Amino acid sequence: MAFIELSGIEKSYSNHHVLKGIDLDVEKHQVVTLIGASGSGKSTLLRCINALETIDSGTVSVDGDVVSGPGVDLDRLRRKVGMVFQSFNLFPHMTVEDNIAVGPVRLLGEDPDAALRRARELLERVNLAHRARYYPDQLSGGQQQRVAIVRAIAMRPEALLLDEITSALDPELVAEVLNIVRDLARDGMTMILATHEMQFAREVSDVVVFLEQGKLLEKGPPEQIFGEPKEERTRAFLKQIIEAGRL
Amino acid sequence: MTTLSPAPRSRGLAVFATLLAIALLVAVAVVGEAVRAGITSPQLSAFGAWVMAAGLALGGVTLWTAVNGLRCSFQSGREAAANEILASRASAAQSRQHSFITFGLAFAVLIGFALVQLVLINDGNIQRTFLRGDLMAGSALDIARAFIVNIRLALISGVIVLVFGLVLAIARMIPGKAGAPVRFLAVAYIDLMRAVPAIIVLYLIGFGLPLTNLPVLSGLNAEWFAILALSLTYSAYVAEVYRSGIASIHPSQWAASRSLGFSYLQTLRFFILPQAMRLVIPPMLSTFIALQKDTSLVNVIGTLDAFNQAKFYASSTFNLSSVTVVAILFVIITIPQTRFVDWMLERGANRRKGA
């Protein structure tokens, strides 16, 4: 049984059909990358897994438990599956260390001092210990995104959803964020990431999934998807990426 | 070969500014003299002379600025003739600057002078009715003492309003089908209380509650009725202030909090409200100032506040100078509040932006 199982996920906004029956299994310790054009449904799919969007039909199960449909304790699900956003979404009225410690203290009942100490240790690992007392607005985009990742990690999630986490960053800040994701992958964190960084996807992924207009068109190991894609649409998409100098 | 485009035009503006400044001086002299001619009291006449002198002095400054503009304009012309285009442009720009300053000054002097003349006109009738120094001094102590009631009403109502307004705002935003009746009640309350004039709510509470014979509530004194009425009215306004603040926090903050596992109410409490509070402080202060001022309405149910005290003095002296004392007291307590809030907001912003 896979750790995250999606079957027949459908999602529409008024008359816009975003997801048209997605099936996907993610094993524990796997890194799965979603690629595809803007509007293909990558972000929506991630938000559906974390129940930030409700799905119209299909089921989401995490760790063998069905977590879609009514009557589910979503707050517990979300503690198990962390999420990092394109626009960081740090809490601007809290210092960096408080951003990280607030979840463990308020939701996991950790001792505030211990939680702050752990926050600083985690910041150390992403080379941001010296920014612990700063406010988010005082940090660069890359630094903010590293803090956002740490904030998700601090909740000790069993899986992470990363939604185009480098898309809002200046090019020179992308590497510092991707390095952390690389470390997490090496440590065996289960991750689903939507990204436009094809080189990176190729390097860290166990499975690459190509989405096209709300459908899962092709799925396979990175060598196959990037090397010899079966589908015509996948080839066309990758050709555009190569022409843009991104692969 | 470069060709420089000519300097902007400045002559017409400078001439107009000069004429305006001269007209201002004439108007101050003529109006001031005419008003002063109708004044019988020698002290007031002397005051009128001082005001006229000040008006003429400020008019002189205005004229001097205008003449400077004219001078720069002529200089610009000379420089243009000597083909020093860049210098000519600079002079023209300076001339226009002087002309615009002249307009601003003339407008301010005219308004200020006119307002003072309004007090002196018709043999100083306004001054004698609203600004009698002796009567103001005589009533000031009693009115200041009664003003403590206004401050107490404002403070107690203010605290109640801050709490009850928040409850209303949250009730209005409760999600889901189960929350519908609560939402409906909150909306109805807010609409109704903002529609009904505060003075009518005061009547309803002050004269209505005693008729109910309810234990405790019907036996309260007039001051508590006033607090109750003001709190009920202003909570509706404050609820809307809170709601606008909560609504202006970006949805991504909700997503971030919910994705960590915080519930709806926890998200409000830890992340949305603390940020919304900062945004609503300025409109909240406006509402609180309005509340303070409306404490002067409570005399209709017999509370002895500053305005009631002033009315007592007014009717015994047939003069409204005591009412002016009340106005002055309200100004004195209001202005420091606005400055304090400005300072507080600036400090908060600096801290988060890393100054």
Side-chain angles (χ1 to χ4, degrees):
Chain A
M1 166 156 278
F3 185 68
I4 295 175
E5 292 186 355
L6 311 177
S7 64
I9 306 288
E10 300 260 355
K11 172 75 187 171
S12 300
Y13 297 108
S14 54
N15 50 14
H16 178 42
H17 204 171
V18 192
L19 298 176
K20 302 168 183 164
I22 304 274
D23 298 302
L24 180 66
D25 287 357
V26 178
E27 302 291 341
K28 194 110 215 199
H29 309 306
Q30 243 184 359
V31 177
V32 174
T33 305
L34 310 176
I35 62 171
S38 295
S40 57
K42 305 186 296 288
S43 290
T44 309
L45 186 61
L46 290 180
R47 293 173 70 90
C48 285
I49 298 172
N50 210 8
L52 287 175
E53 309 283 347
T54 51
I55 55 179
D56 301 332
S57 65
T59 54
V60 179
S61 58
V62 173
D63 205 7
D65 187 10
V66 174
V67 294
S68 52
V72 179
D73 184 349
L74 294 177
D75 300 332
R76 256 186 60 197
L77 155 71
R78 289 170 180 145
R79 275 172 232 172
K80 253 191 209 173
V81 181
M83 183 147 182
V84 183
F85 302 86
Q86 180 177 344
S87 51
F88 333 135
N89 301 1
L90 294 177
F91 304 123
H93 62 300
M94 293 179 161
T95 59
V96 162
E97 57 183 8
D98 286 338
N99 261 279
I100 298 164
V102 66
V105 171
R106 301 285 184 186
L107 298 174
L108 306 180
E110 285 183 19
D111 167 63
D113 289 334
L116 280 175
R117 214 172 315 124
R118 178 143 178 278
R120 282 185 224 112
E121 280 167 23
L122 289 170
L123 283 170
E124 190 97 51
R125 282 184 16 203
V126 299
N127 297 320
L128 283 176
H130 59 301
R131 293 284 186 262
R133 298 278 169 84
Y134 282 51
Y135 284 87
D137 288 351
Q138 299 168 261
L139 305 186
S140 72
Q143 291 175 330
Q144 289 192 48
Q145 194 59 294
R146 284 188 276 165
V147 173
I149 295 172
V150 167
R151 180 176 67 177
I153 299 295
M155 289 297 288
R156 305 174 203 270
E158 294 181 56
L160 267 188
L161 311 172
L162 309 178
D163 185 7
E164 299 195 18
I165 58 169
T166 56
S167 297
L169 296 179
D170 292 333
E172 76 274 16
L173 303 176
V174 170
E176 62 189 49
V177 171
L178 291 185
N179 282 337
I180 295 167
V181 179
R182 199 173 282 128
D183 288 347
L184 287 171
R186 196 177 306 131
D187 295 346
M189 176 62 81
T190 311
M191 285 187 281
I192 308 180
L193 44 128
T195 186
H196 290 293
E197 303 287 341
M198 297 303 157
Q199 202 63 55
F200 180 72
R202 189 177 207 163
E203 178 197 336
V204 298
S205 310
D206 298 305
V207 176
V208 176
V209 172
F210 177 64
L211 291 180
E212 161 91 359
Q213 293 183 347
K215 289 206 186 91
L216 194 159
L217 219 61
E218 189 169 1
K219 179 174 87 164
E223 309 81 57
Q224 186 242 309
I225 297 288
F226 292 110
E228 38 200 291
K230 292 191 202 108
E231 294 288 332
E232 184 54 42
R233 291 295 307 141
T234 317
R235 271 199 291 273
F237 174 74
L238 288 172
K239 188 160 165 279
Q240 284 171 344
I241 299 285
I242 289 166
E243 280 169 3
R246 289 300 192 92
L247 186 65
Chain B
M1 174 67 197
T2 56
T3 49
L4 294 167
S5 51
R9 280 185 295 183
S10 58
R11 190 64 45 84
L13 211 58
V15 169
F16 181 60
T18 309
L19 291 177
L20 190 76
I22 293 169
L24 175 73
L25 279 170
V26 172
V28 166
V30 170
V31 172
E33 205 41 57
V35 168
R36 222 160 65 86
I39 295 174
T40 45
S41 141
Q43 288 118 316
L44 208 55
S45 179
F47 177 71
W50 276 111
V51 171
M52 218 170 90
L56 288 173
L58 288 170
V61 173
T62 312
L63 183 59
W64 185 69
T65 314
V67 168
N68 260 333
L70 210 52
R71 188 177 54 76
C72 289
S73 177
F74 281 120
Q75 190 182 338
S76 169
R78 279 197 302 278
E79 284 159 347
N83 217 14
E84 295 165 9
I85 303 294
L86 293 178
S88 168
R89 280 187 200 166
S91 301
Q94 204 170 14
S95 165
R96 291 165 66 88
Q97 175 81 348
H98 282 307
S99 301
F100 285 125
I101 292 175
T102 306
F103 296 148
L105 272 175
F107 182 69
V109 171
L110 194 68
I111 296 287
F113 185 73
L115 281 178
V116 179
Q117 294 309 307
L118 209 58
V119 173
L120 298 177
I121 210 164
N122 194 12
D123 197 8
N125 251 338
I126 302 248
Q127 183 273 330
R128 276 185 289 126
T129 309
F130 283 98
L131 291 164
R132 279 267 302 273
D134 54 332
L135 295 179
M136 287 168 74
S139 61
L141 197 62
D142 276 344
I143 292 177
R145 218 173 270 140
F147 193 65
I148 293 171
V149 174
N150 294 72
I151 292 176
R152 194 161 58 222
L153 291 177
L155 284 179
I156 299 176
S157 310
V159 172
I160 297 174
V161 161
L162 280 179
V163 177
F164 187 46
L166 182 59
V167 172
L168 279 172
I170 292 174
R172 193 178 173 162
M173 298 177 84
I174 281 185
K177 215 180 261 177
V182 180
R183 282 201 299 275
F184 174 81
L185 266 184
V187 171
Y189 179 90
I190 291 168
D191 285 355
L192 206 68
M193 278 303 182
R194 289 197 304 169
V196 179
I199 198 161
I200 295 179
V201 178
L202 269 165
Y203 268 109
L204 283 173
I205 298 292
F207 300 122
L209 263 189
L211 302 177
T212 61
N213 265 339
L214 281 169
V216 187
L217 275 184
S218 61
L220 295 172
N221 63 27
E223 211 174 305
W224 276 105
F225 285 141
I227 288 169
L228 205 57
L230 289 172
S231 302
L232 289 175
T233 301
Y234 275 89
S235 296
Y237 290 101
V238 165
E240 287 297 276
V241 172
Y242 276 124
R243 193 169 69 101
S244 72
I246 291 169
S248 59
I249 301 299
H250 197 269
S252 64
Q253 289 287 307
W254 284 93
S257 168
R258 297 311 296 273
S259 80
L260 284 170
F262 285 93
S263 70
Y264 181 89
L265 282 178
Q266 285 173 321
T267 301
L268 261 182
R269 149 121 170 62
F270 296 125
F271 308 114
I272 305 301
L273 283 179
Q275 294 181 59
M277 288 302 174
R278 287 207 179 82
L279 296 176
V280 302
I281 286 172
M284 200 65 96
L285 179 72
S286 292
T287 315
F288 187 59
I289 288 172
L291 166 64
Q292 287 169 40
K293 295 196 294 182
D294 272 1
T295 58
S296 60
L297 297 176
V298 302
N299 66 82
V300 300
I301 56 171
T303 308
L304 189 65
D305 77 318
F307 185 58
N308 214 355
Q309 184 70 261
K311 284 205 318 187
F312 168 73
Y313 271 98
S315 52
S316 61
T317 58
F318 302 107
N319 189 287
L320 293 173
S321 296
S322 54
V323 173
T324 308
V325 174
V326 182
I328 292 170
L329 286 174
F330 273 113
V331 171
I332 288 174
I333 62 160
T334 303
I335 289 177
Q337 292 177 55
T338 59
R339 290 294 88 79
F340 172 72
V341 167
D342 287 349
W343 170 81
M344 208 169 63
L345 287 174
E346 197 176 334
R347 196 189 54 156
N350 284 343
R351 204 182 44 163
R352 285 199 294 158
K353 290 267 160 6

